[in-house]
């Protein structure tokens, strides 16, 4: 196997590191998340990326909490799925009836939904 030297540490296989999605290890390894679908895990990784961008843009509410905005249509395009499937995946992640990795507020019906991304911390 040839050894490949990457002169730019911000790149891997010709792509910028920022071009990748990162799925947190806890969401794959922790038994609490074992019943979460692969689509929900992928969507959560997208939400984490958007939350980091919101933090850079200082997109926060009056309480100082960072949030993201997204429509069901955008989720459909990201997951390449139907509206019903996008809503189901979003429900899997929500704290109301789901695993609690996000808090979804208001909107709907084609409008942008405000989402707060929760960070999971394993109890020791």
């Amino acid at each position: 196997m040839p050894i490949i030297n990457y002169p730019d540490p911000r790149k891997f296989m010709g792509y910028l590191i920022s071009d990748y999605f990162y799925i947190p290890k806890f969401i794959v390894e922790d038994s609490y998340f074992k019943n979460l679908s692969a689509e929900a895990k992928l969507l959560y990784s997208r939400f984490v990326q958007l939350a980091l961008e919101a933090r850079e843009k200082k997109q926060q509410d009056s309480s100082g909490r960072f949030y993201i905005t997204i429509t069901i249509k955008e989720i459909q395009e990201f997951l390449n799925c139907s509206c019903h499937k996008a809503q189901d995946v979003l429900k899997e992640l929500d704290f109301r009836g789901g695993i609690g990795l996000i808090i979804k507020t208001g909107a709907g019906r084609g409008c942008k939904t405000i989402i707060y991304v929760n960070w999971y911390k394993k109890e020791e």
Side-chain angles (χ1 to χ4, degrees):
M1 174 179 228
I3 297 174
I4 302 170
N5 186 14
Y6 298 105
D8 186 348
R10 296 168 297 164
K11 289 188 175 185
F12 178 74
M13 302 290 287
Y15 294 95
L16 289 174
I17 297 298
S18 60
D19 292 336
Y20 290 88
F21 291 110
Y22 295 98
I23 298 176
K25 277 180 139 180
F26 71 80
I27 210 168
V28 176
E29 295 176 347
D30 196 305
S31 61
Y32 182 73
F33 301 103
K34 71 179 177 186
N35 293 327
L36 203 57
S37 70
E39 291 94 347
K41 292 173 183 180
L42 182 61
L43 186 59
Y44 179 72
S45 72
R46 175 69 174 139
F47 287 168
V48 168
Q49 181 189 39
L50 291 173
L52 293 173
E53 291 172 10
R55 186 175 170 186
E56 288 175 8
K57 296 176 190 173
K58 304 206 182 319
Q59 183 176 324
Q60 52 192 334
D61 63 13
S62 58
S63 303
R65 294 173 49 204
F66 295 100
Y67 65 91
I68 63 173
T69 57
I70 195 163
T71 64
I72 289 293
K73 181 85 171 149
E74 290 169 327
I75 294 171
Q76 281 181 260
E77 290 172 4
F78 177 71
L79 295 176
N80 192 29
C81 67
S82 69
C83 179
H84 182 70
K85 177 68 175 182
Q87 290 170 338
D88 286 348
V89 172
L90 200 55
K91 284 178 192 173
E92 272 188 83
L93 295 172
D94 198 12
F95 82 102
R96 278 182 241 119
I99 202 85
L101 287 173
I102 64 167
I103 299 171
K104 183 179 71 138
T105 61
R109 306 258 182 209
C111 300
K112 290 204 178 253
T113 302
I114 294 175
I115 294 175
Y116 297 94
V117 179
N118 293 329
W119 306 99
Y120 174 74
K121 183 178 178 188
K122 188 174 183 175
E123 292 184 23
E124 297 175 22

